[in-house]
Structures are given as structure tokens and as C-alpha cells.
């Protein structure tokens, strides 16, 4: 893995920034990679479109600029397709991982490799809410590590549990459910 | 030792905890605020035995630091942009009083217009206050440099305040691998407790920094015997101490590296051995430029990189030595995320002055880049550098700085 550049799209409160960090931690602490994670620079508001990024590499990362041509775009909420330029700069062979109940053919991402996972239903099924918002970040990590082969399910569960020590393990369980429901083809 | 993924602000806060700062006073400003938020938590959790002083402005924050440092405490503050500018008057006071305060500056553009993104104009504007300025390119370097900064500033041959600067958001809010030392005994071996030159004590009252005259006077307590320093002598003494910083910092850096395994030097060089062109800069622009140097090498341009860590005092002798040892250098391309209005980038001016002082006739091109957080990529740095290389080879010298990635017409 020379350099994997991942851009996250979410809404303020959905946890994209935390997920970007947990993914970088998984790569660094468990897989011996160099990794960085950034929020979108500037102001963030609950409900407004936000971005975050994760870079993962076998070598030390010297790139400090914001990602222009991501290898992977992760979309936590399919309503963002209308309000944010989610495919901006995505490489031709790039991957989209999106939380959606819709059929991937209906999302308008022609010719791109798209993985749809209904993370919303998994989070709702587990009653996974935080401050009134449905938690989408920890469950989608289960899909991401499976599709991108970043780390094992056990490792990501350990990291998520360490991040949310008093949640009774529900975030890790959500990641596991998503992991198992994610189909690679 | 702990392997962590930390943002630059938290790397700075962890370093302050590990060196055992005793007094912290700061006023919140984006993007620096998480440093002092985390420090206040360390104090609250009992992980750091320090006095945390809440203040109503940055001017008060640095003033509290000056007072606390004069009692002999190890003190810390942090700021950015307009907050740092508000400290300006007291920055002179701290340096003139020879107080080894360490200030972390998460670099941000000063208003107006209002902007919270990265820009080195804030710390460059404090260049002439008598502070040492060190610039970082990653979060490990922020952690390590704060520890080194205390060792440097507290050295009796130096006794000067140190500003540790790092680009806002790009480092302050980006998480990266950081190895923290944690072991306070190990750090104490490297950085012993601060031995102050002045120790304000209510039981032994004295005045410091009373009016100091232009002329030499005799000590009224010892007439005809001991001369008292006058104002120019104080300034001269500070300058002489600051001139010792490059050599002192190299020693400190070596000792740090021997103990903890990481070396930085007063500048970092990359691909310079056979370089005909040097990209020169500070902070994260000069970090990203490593990739630019690689790109240009593939295109046949022998490009190297100098990322300057110690900006003030400007390490003239070391840079002259570097240029002397690299006779192939045909041109230097300086990238500045700052501007001395009406002239050019501050780093460029300083470098040109150094070259002139040793009679080097090397063309220098200056680019102003990344102002107010404008995204600047390795590819853009490479493209600008390539243009300069071609101009220099044709004997064309561009005297005026050029702005890259900017949407304006002349």
C-alpha cells in the first residue's frame, strides 16, 4: 500500500471525524502502517455537511495538503449526494462506500465501484443513538475494514470499545453486525 | 514510552505534561485552544501538578507567564493569530527579562479579513521580539521540540523565551503517530529543573526591570566600583546570547537524539548531496516539498530541499557552510507562507541576506504560497520550482515574489 487516501462525507454529529481517527489508529497501532486523520478545517455545525480524511501508508507520510484525488470516498448519509460534491476528484478506479437503503444502481455513481450498506437500519435495530443523533460512524467501520482490508474485526472492535468504554459494547457490536452484512461482491 | 495517534495540539499538551510545566496561562483562540483544554484536564485529573491561571486576554496570559517565570517557575502558554499579536508588547518584555517561557503557536492568519486557517504571518510578525523561533513539520516534532525548547531557553548561556510554531489545522488538528516519552525521570535526566537567574521572593523583595538608562551608571551601593548595565548593554547581551543558539541547539538536539532516538538539527535536508536547485522553506510547506523534490528528480531536475527548523536566530553560519559544501547549487527557490508587506517573504529576505554576507551570487526565487490556509499541493510546489529552475538556467532572475495558486490578475 503506497498511499491510500480516504475522504469522509457526513453531517456534523454523525461521527465522521471520530471514525476517520479510529480507522487511522487501526492501521497505525495494529498493522504497523503510518497513518494520519484530519477533520475538515474550519467551522463545523451539527447537521451540516462536513468532511474528514484518513491517509494510510506503508511509509512515513509527508503530504500535508488536503486530499484532492481520493482513492476512497465514504458517505455516511446518502442525502449528502445532493448537497455535497461527494465524487469530486475521486480516482477513476476509486471506491465509494455509502450508507444507503437504495440499490447502488439508483445512486447515480455510474462506472465507479460502489458498496452500499444499510448502516441506518443496523444502528436503528440496536437503538444506537448519541445526543439524539443516530450513530453511523462505528457501524460503518465494520464495512470499511472488510472492503479495504485495513485490519481485523477483532482489532476494530477493541479500538471502538476503548473509545467508548461505557457504552456496554454496543458500538463494537454494531461494527460486527455491519462487517457480517457487508458483501464484497 | 507510548505509541499514540495525536493531533498537534495534543502532542504539545503531552509534552508540557511530560516536562512538568508549573504554571499555565492562556486564552482560547482557534486553532490553539485544544492545547490548553487538554492541559486543564491534565491539571484537573492530577496528572500535572501545575497552577492553571484563567485570564481575560492573551495580553494577560503572557503577563501571568512573565510574572510566574520571574518567581522561578517553568511556564507555558499558547496562542495563534490575533491572540499572539495581542501579546506582542509583552513578548518584548519576556525576552528582555530573559525568561525561558515556552509558547506554542498554532500558526493562523491574522485578521482582517477574518480567517482561522493556517498562515505563518502571526509568528513571523513576532520575529523581532527577541524570541527563539522553531518551526515543526509533524506532530512528533512538536512533542520533541517543546521538550528541547525548555532545555534551550533555560540554559544559563541562553536564558531566552522560545516559540514553538506549527501550522494550524494542518498539524494542530491532524492526528499522526507520536511516541511520547512519558517517563518523567528520563525526561529529568535530559531536562533538569529550571534554575532561574532571578527569583522573586516576598521574603526578599526586590525590583526587576526598573528604568534603565542610555548611559552607564555606577552602582549606588558600591560607588566607583561596580558598573550597572544600561539599556544598550542589556540588548547587546540578549543578542550575544541568541547568537549562541544555533551551536547550543545542535548540542541539545544531539543529546536528545542520543537519548530518545530522534534527531532534527537546525534544518532538515533532503536529496541535497548533488542538488543544483534547493527548495527552501519552513513548516509544512517545506515538508510537502519532499514529494515535490522526488517529482522533479524524476523529470531530470536535480532538486534538494532544506526545511529550516530554527528560524530565529537565523542560522547564517550553518547555511553558509551548507552552501559552501554544495558548489553545484545554481539557484534557491523559497516558499513563504508569510509576507513582509511591500517587499517579499520573510524567509526569502533572510536567506538572501545570508547569501550576500558570504558573497554568494546565487539566484533566489520567492513564492508566496498557502496564505490563509489556501491548499498547496506537492504538485503545485513542483510546478513552480520547475519554472524557476528553467528561468535560472536561462539566466533570468525574478526579483519580485510570485504568488502561486491565487485567483487574481495583475
Amino acid at each position: 500500500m503506497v498511499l491510500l487516501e480516504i475522504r469522509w462525507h457526513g453531517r456534523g454529529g454523525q461521527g465522521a471525524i471520530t471514525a476517520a481517527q479510529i480507522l487511522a489508529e487501526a492501521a497505525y497501532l495494529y498493522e504497523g502502517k503510518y497513518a494520519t486523520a484530519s477533520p475538515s478545517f474550519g467551522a463545523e455545525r451539527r447537521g451540516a455537511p462536513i468532511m474528514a480524511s484518513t491517509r494510510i501508508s506503508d511509509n512515513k507520510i509527508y503530504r500535508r495538503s488536503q486530499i484532492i484525488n481520493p482513492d476512497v470516498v465514504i458517505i455516511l448519509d446518502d442525502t449528502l449526494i445532493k448537497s455535497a460534491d461527494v465524487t469530486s476528484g475521486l480516482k477513476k478506479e476509486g471506491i465509494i462506500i455509502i450508507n444507503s437503503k437504495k440499490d447502488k444502481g439508483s445512486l447515480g455513481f455510474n462506472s465507479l465501484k460502489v458498496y452500499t450498506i444499510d448502516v441506518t437500519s443496523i444502528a436503528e435495530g440496536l437503538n444506537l443513538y448519541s445526543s439524539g443523533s443516530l450513530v453511523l460512524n462505528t457501524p460503518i467501520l465494520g464495512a470499511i475494514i472488510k472492503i479495504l482490508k485495513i485490519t481485523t474485526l477483532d482489532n476494530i472492535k477493541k479500538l471502538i470499545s476503548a473509545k467508548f468504554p461505557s457504552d456496554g459494547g454496543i458500538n463494537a457490536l454494531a461494527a460486527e453486525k455491519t462487517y457480517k452484512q457487508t458483501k464484497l461482491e | 514510552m507510548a505509541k499514540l495517534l495525536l493531533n498537534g495540539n495534543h502532542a504539545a499538551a503531552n509534552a508540557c505534561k511530560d516536562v512538568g510545566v508549573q504554571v499555565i496561562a492562556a486564552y482560547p483562540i482557534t486553532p490553539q485552544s485544544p492545547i490548553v483544554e487538554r492541559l486543564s484536564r491534565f491539571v484537573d485529573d492530577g496528572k500535572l501538578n501545575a497552577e492553571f491561571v484563567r485570564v481575560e486576554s492573551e495580553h494577560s496570559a503572557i503577563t501571568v507567564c512573565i510574572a510566574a517565570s520571574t518567581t522561578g517557575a517553568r511556564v507555558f502558554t499558547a496562542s495563534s493569530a490575533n491572540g499572539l499579536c495581542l501579546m506582542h508588547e509583552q513578548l518584548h518584555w519576556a525576552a528582555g527579562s530573559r525568561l525561558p517561557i515556552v509558547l506554542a503557536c498554532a500558526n493562523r492568519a491574522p485578521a482582517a479579513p477574518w480567517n482561522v486557517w493556517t498562515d505563518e504571518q502571526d509568528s513571523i510578525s513576532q520575529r523581532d521580539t527577541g524570541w527563539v523561533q522553531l518551526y515543526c513539520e509533524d506532530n512528533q516534532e512538536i512533542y520533541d521540540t517543546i521538550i528541547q525548547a525548555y532545555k534551550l531557553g533555560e540554559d544559563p548561556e541562553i536564558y531566552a523565551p522560545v516559540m514553538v510554531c506549527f501550522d494550524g489545522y494542518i498539524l494542530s488538528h491532524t492526528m499522526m503517530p507520536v511516541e511520547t516519552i512519558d517517563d518523567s525521570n528520563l525526561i529529568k535526566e535530559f531536562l533538569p529543573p529550571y534554575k532561574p537567574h532571578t527569583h522573586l521572593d516576598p521574603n526578599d523583595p526586590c525590583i526587576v526591570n526598573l528604568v534603565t538608562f542610555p548611559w552607564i551608571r555606577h552602582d549606588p551601593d558600591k560607588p566607583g566600583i561596580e558598573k550597572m548595565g544600561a539599556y544598550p548593554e542589556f540588548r547587546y547581551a540578549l543578542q550575544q546570547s541568541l547568537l549562541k543558539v544555533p551551536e547550543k541547539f545542535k548540542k541539545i538536539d544531539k543529546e536528545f537524539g542520543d537519548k530518545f532516538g530522534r534527531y532534527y538539527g537546525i534544518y532538515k535536508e533532503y536529496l541535497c548531496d548533488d542538488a543544483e536547485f534547493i527548495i527552501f522553506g519552513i513548516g509544512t510547506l517545506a515538508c510537502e516539498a519532499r514529494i515535490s523534490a522526488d517529482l522533479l528528480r524524476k523529470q531530470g531536475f536535480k532538486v534538494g530541499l532544506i526545511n529550516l527548523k530554527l528560524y530565529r536566530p537565523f542560522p547564517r553560519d550553518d547555511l553558509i557552510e551548507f552552501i559552501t559544501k554544495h558548489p553545484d547549487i545554481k539557484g534557491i527557490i523559497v516558499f513563504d507562507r508569510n509576507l513582509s508587506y511591500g517587499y517579499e517573504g520573510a524567509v526569502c529576505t533572510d536567506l538572501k541576506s545570508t547569501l550576500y554576507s558570504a558573497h554568494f551570487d546565487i539566484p533566489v526565487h520567492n513564492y508566496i504560497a498557502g496564505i490563509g490556509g489556501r491548499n498547496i499541493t506537492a504538485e503545485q510546489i513542483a510546478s513552480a520550482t520547475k519554472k524557476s529552475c528553467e528561468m535560472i538556467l536561462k539566466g533570468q532572475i525574478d526579483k519580485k515574489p510570485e504568488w502561486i495558486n491565487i485567483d487574481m490578475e495583475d
Side-chain angles (χ1 to χ4, degrees), chain B residues 250-374:
Chain B
K250 279 188 268 182
K251 272 189 205 153
I252 289 171
D253 187 61
K254 173 152 195 323
E255 192 186 330
F256 184 90
D258 290 349
K259 207 162 183 59
F260 304 116
R262 294 180 293 273
Y263 300 86
Y264 297 95
I266 53 179
Y267 59 81
K268 283 156 275 178
E269 61 173 275
Y270 179 62
L271 301 179
C272 286
D273 285 352
D274 62 341
E276 294 179 347
F277 299 95
I278 299 288
I279 300 175
F280 193 95
I282 57 176
T284 57
L285 272 183
C287 177
E288 178 117 3
R290 282 174 79 103
I291 304 163
S292 318
D294 287 334
L295 291 168
L296 288 162
R297 287 266 168 178
K298 282 184 196 142
Q299 295 176 39
F301 293 93
K302 289 186 178 173
V303 173
L305 168 72
I306 294 283
N307 185 350
L308 190 64
K309 179 179 179 67
L310 176 64
Y311 173 61
R312 269 297 179 276
F314 200 73
R316 181 174 58 194
D317 294 346
D318 293 272
L319 292 172
I320 288 172
E321 191 185 330
F322 171 83
I323 305 276
T324 309
K325 283 185 182 163
H326 295 80
D328 297 337
I329 295 174
K330 294 188 169 79
I332 303 177
I333 300 97
V334 183
F335 288 83
D336 271 298
R337 201 195 286 273
N338 68 79
L339 176 67
S340 177
Y341 285 112
Y343 197 38
E344 60 190 4
V347 178
C348 179
T349 302
D350 287 324
L351 180 69
K352 280 181 179 171
S353 154
T354 283
L355 294 174
Y356 182 82
S357 73
H359 305 288
F360 285 115
D361 188 13
I362 298 175
V364 177
H365 282 197
N366 187 201
Y367 290 99
I368 307 298
I371 296 294
R374 177 66 55 88

Side-chain angles (χ1 to χ4, degrees), chain A residues 21 24-25 28-29 32-43 60-68 163, chain B residues 3-5 116-117 137-138 169-171 173-178 284 287-288 290-291 373 375-379:
Chain A
Q21 293 173 357
E25 279 176 340
Y28 170 55
L29 297 174
K33 309 279 186 192
Y34 196 92
T36 67
S38 304
S40 41
F41 296 163
K60 189 170 177 182
I61 296 169
Y62 292 99
R63 211 175 260 281
R64 297 281 177 266
S65 53
Q66 287 159 62
I67 295 173
I68 290 177
K163 207 73 147 186
Chain B
K3 282 176 78 171
L4 304 166
L5 204 70
V116 298
W117 291 268
E137 67 171 21
D138 62 39
Y169 287 108
I170 294 174
L171 295 182
H173 283 61
T174 298
M175 298 179 83
M176 293 177 192
V178 176
T284 57
C287 177
E288 178 117 3
R290 282 174 79 103
I291 304 163
N375 197 32
I376 297 290
T377 63
E379 288 72 18

Side-chain angles (χ1 to χ4, degrees), chain B residues 120-153:
Chain B
E120 285 146 6
Q121 193 76 9
D122 54 356
S123 56
I124 291 291
S125 298
Q126 317 311 323
R127 182 188 69 178
D128 299 332
T129 53
W131 284 58
V132 175
Q133 287 195 350
L134 297 160
Y135 287 80
C136 303
E137 67 171 21
D138 62 39
N139 298 349
Q140 182 71 61
E141 189 173 6
I142 295 170
Y143 176 86
D144 292 340
T145 304
I146 285 183
I147 299 168
Q148 294 177 330
Y150 280 104
K151 175 105 169 167
L152 177 69

Side-chain angles (χ1 to χ4, degrees), chain A residues 71-73 90-98 104 109-116 147 149 183-185:
Chain A
D71 301 283
V72 181
V73 166
L90 180 62
K91 285 183 182 150
K92 264 188 187 164
E93 64 281 15
I95 294 171
I96 294 178
I97 301 172
I98 181 165
K104 65 181 169 187
F109 300 128
N110 298 331
S111 79
L112 288 161
K113 196 155 177 86
V114 182
Y115 294 89
T116 57
I147 295 162
K149 300 179 177 61
K183 293 185 188 78
L184 290 182
E185 286 306 328

Side-chain angles (χ1 to χ4, degrees), chain B residues 47-89:
Chain B
K47 288 179 182 162
L48 175 61
N49 183 19
E51 189 82 22
F52 192 98
V53 186
R54 287 187 297 169
V55 289
E56 78 288 2
S57 77
E58 287 87 354
H59 190 277
S60 302
I62 186 70
T63 307
V64 165
C65 289
I66 288 167
S69 184
T70 314
T71 70
R74 181 173 284 165
V75 305
F76 175 80
T77 188
S79 199
S80 300
N82 292 55
L84 183 63
C85 297
L86 184 57
M87 289 183 176
H88 180 80
E89 177 229 349

Side-chain angles (χ1 to χ4, degrees), chain A residues 1 3-6 8 19-36 54-58 71-72 74 95 97 140-156 159 179 184:
Chain A
M1 186 189 300
L3 174 65
L4 184 70
E5 296 191 309
I6 301 168
W8 300 72
Q21 293 173 357
I22 294 173
L23 191 64
E25 279 176 340
Y28 170 55
L29 297 174
Y30 288 114
E31 306 301 330
K33 309 279 186 192
Y34 196 92
T36 67
T54 305
R55 283 189 169 116
I56 299 170
S57 174
D58 289 332
D71 301 283
V72 181
I74 296 163
I95 294 171
I97 301 172
I140 208 170
L141 279 168
I144 293 162
I145 57 147
K146 189 170 182 181
I147 295 162
L148 302 179
K149 300 179 177 61
I150 302 287
T151 192
T152 64
L153 177 62
D154 274 355
N155 288 342
I156 204 77
L159 274 176
Y179 183 90
L184 290 182

